[in-house]
Amino acid sequence: MARILVADDHDAVREGMAIALSRLGHEVLAVKGGGEALAAYRKKPADVVVTDLRMIPVDGIQVVKGLREIDPDATVLVVSAHGTIAIAVEAMRAGAIDFIEKPFSPDVLRARVEKAVEIARERRGARTARGRAEAFAEDLVREHDPHGLVGSSEPMRRVLDQVHRVAATDATVLVLGESGTGKELVARAIHGASARATQPFVSISCAAVPETLLESELFGHERGAFTGAVRRKLGRFELANGGTIFLDEVGEIPAAVQVKLLRVVQERQLERVGGEETIDVDVRVVSATNRDLEKAVETGRFREDLYYRLNVVPIQLPPLRDRPGDVAELARFFVARLAPRMGRKVTGIAPEALAMLERHRWPGNVRELENVIEQALVFADGEVVGPADLPEGLRRTPAAPGLPVPSGDRSLTAILEELEEQLILSAYERARGVKAETARLLGIKPSALYYKLEKYGIVRAGEKADPGPEQE
């Protein structure tokens, strides 16, 4: 079914065309003037416009020109009882795709409109394809390997299991983790394993787009919406229709845009900047952040209702330092992927170099490791990456010392309690005071953690360690 706009100042002709086209199953809006046709199109664009030529004060040629200014892809047919070659040529030059001479039968009208609907769909598809090509070119996102989620450690097995489970649904996902942990790879893995895999995957870094342009990038804009808007632009949500949109650094979205984003996530509807048309979109939303959104909600920087809409299924990515067993596997993976691209014949990593990599703390996480391997491949002379090929700062990382043998008259219980307190304090600080995350890092139940926080006096001043709903 298509949306057809009919404009004719002759009541009987206008109503006859509307009835004939409605019988094809199309949605038809009939107006009696050129000015009304332009106003209706601005409010809600039609797939095809059928306009009479002789109308006062706005005639058919003016309607065609006006529509082309509003929408360069507007599909227009002109009808007239004054058919001449000169008039037909003028209508075509103005932008009409066809000219129908009155009187005409309903069958002729229906056949011409059906052809116009096909043309309109082709134009719309081409416009969407252009928009996607432009968006992807602007992203300048490097190629992602479809099997980029590498790791067999227990933390990564949990993540992969979550990805597998959530991909089978259409739930909204919030990926949490430090910078460089691979949040976009998780989003792509969810999309690739979902029923939407054959549809577009569109990503946008909300922190990389200026606040003044972010609304337009997400939701699109109409021609003339602001200075420099010389044509209609489709936003990322429209470009992702049917597929998945990945909102990276979603915590950086300004308050004004958060309101509009909430509506899209909640109702799957949007309006372009400067437009009045309500557009339906079917998009799965996967967002990511390295910020504490709960704190942002508490301070009023992030809408609470939007937070809960985005945080339907949270996936916490562990930092690389918490899965050291994956470092060697990741390093080999990057060598195998990067060496051919760089024209290097390196096929492996020496054990001494791997040992250096495994004892590094990796503050930049997986992204830092990839950069280190790429740099090492530049300097590697043989078939393996050796210690000398690694960055100097990484080579200076000292080996982890062994546990000291306790001395004095302290009991083993006292020593173990001191070590336990240090581990809990370290995890609590790493989790930024979030108890559920602290318990996850330590691999213990929240109820057990609350007891130990009170036992060692780690709970912040004035903060009560509520035992929570889960009991041992």
Side-chain angles (χ1 to χ4, degrees), residues 424 435-440 442-455 459 465-472:
I424 293 173
K435 298 184 185 66
E437 174 62 9
T438 305
R440 188 195 69 78
L442 294 170
I444 62 177
K445 293 182 178 180
S447 55
L449 172 68
Y450 297 147
Y451 166 76
K452 294 179 185 296
L453 289 174
E454 286 188 336
K455 174 183 177 181
V459 176
D466 184 2
E470 182 180 0
Q471 301 293 333
E472 289 189 289

Side-chain angles (χ1 to χ4, degrees), residues 421-449:
E421 179 182 357
Q422 293 175 3
L423 289 171
I424 293 173
L425 181 60
S426 175
Y428 190 70
E429 291 175 349
R430 188 185 307 165
R432 301 176 183 176
V434 180
K435 298 184 185 66
E437 174 62 9
T438 305
R440 188 195 69 78
L441 290 173
L442 294 170
I444 62 177
K445 293 182 178 180
S447 55
L449 172 68

Side-chain angles (χ1 to χ4, degrees), residues 246-260:
F246 174 60
L247 306 175
D248 196 13
E249 301 301 341
V250 72
E252 306 302 320
I253 295 180
V257 181
Q258 289 179 31
V259 177
K260 201 164 183 178

Side-chain angles (χ1 to χ4, degrees), residues 335 345-351 376-377 380-387 389:
V335 168
K345 296 183 179 180
V346 179
T347 58
I349 306 177
L377 288 172
D381 292 325
E383 294 184 355
V384 296
V385 171
D389 303 320

Side-chain angles (χ1 to χ4, degrees), residues 201-219:
F201 177 91
V202 177
S203 67
I204 179 172
S205 173
C206 300
V209 181
E211 288 189 13
T212 54
L213 297 178
L214 183 58
E215 184 178 4
S216 170
E217 284 295 320
L218 288 173
F219 312 117

Side-chain angles (χ1 to χ4, degrees), residues 343-384:
R344 312 295 287 173
K345 296 183 179 180
V346 179
T347 58
I349 306 177
E352 299 85 352
L354 278 178
M356 291 180 177
L357 295 175
E358 288 175 336
R359 67 174 179 246
H360 187 60
R361 291 291 292 168
W362 301 111
N365 293 295
V366 179
R367 184 182 298 125
E368 181 188 2
L369 175 58
E370 181 179 9
N371 291 342
V372 165
I373 296 300
E374 186 171 4
Q375 180 178 339
L377 288 172
V378 172
F379 296 103
D381 292 325
E383 294 184 355
V384 296

